[in-house]
Amino acid sequence: MSLREIVATNLRHMRHAKGLSQEELADRAGINRNYVGMLEREEHAATVDMLERIAAILDIDPMEFFRKSS
């Protein structure tokens, strides 16, 4: 599993766990909703700064994006 896939999967799971739609997360992060979808579909790789911003909204440690689930 690639790192991009791990980040995408974790982002999707964490967003769902918080009960947020892609649009709600994007709105809170001040980014385009399409961007969140692109991250979750592995079509785009987020910058470290963007992951930090999204993590703050999700109230998680940014390192959680990189944890491979067992």
Side-chain angles (χ1 to χ4, degrees):
M1 183 179 281
S2 72
L3 188 54
R4 186 181 288 198
E5 185 177 358
I6 292 168
V7 170
T9 299
N10 287 338
L11 171 57
R12 186 177 310 106
H13 288 147
M14 292 177 215
R15 179 178 60 76
H16 284 159
K18 295 292 182 175
L20 295 173
S21 67
Q22 289 179 349
E23 187 172 0
E24 290 170 317
L25 177 59
D27 185 54
R28 292 181 189 189
I31 57 177
N32 188 293
R33 180 194 59 82
N34 294 329
Y35 183 75
V36 175
M38 291 172 65
L39 294 176
E40 291 185 359
R41 289 187 307 274
E42 304 169 48
E43 296 172 0
H44 191 49
T47 64
V48 171
D49 292 337
M50 183 56 64
L51 290 176
E52 188 173 45
R53 185 187 312 179
I54 293 170
I57 293 160
L58 295 173
D59 194 30
I60 61 165
D61 181 332
M63 294 304 294
E64 292 300 314
F65 287 121
F66 302 102
R67 300 211 192 282
K68 191 172 180 179
S69 41
S70 34

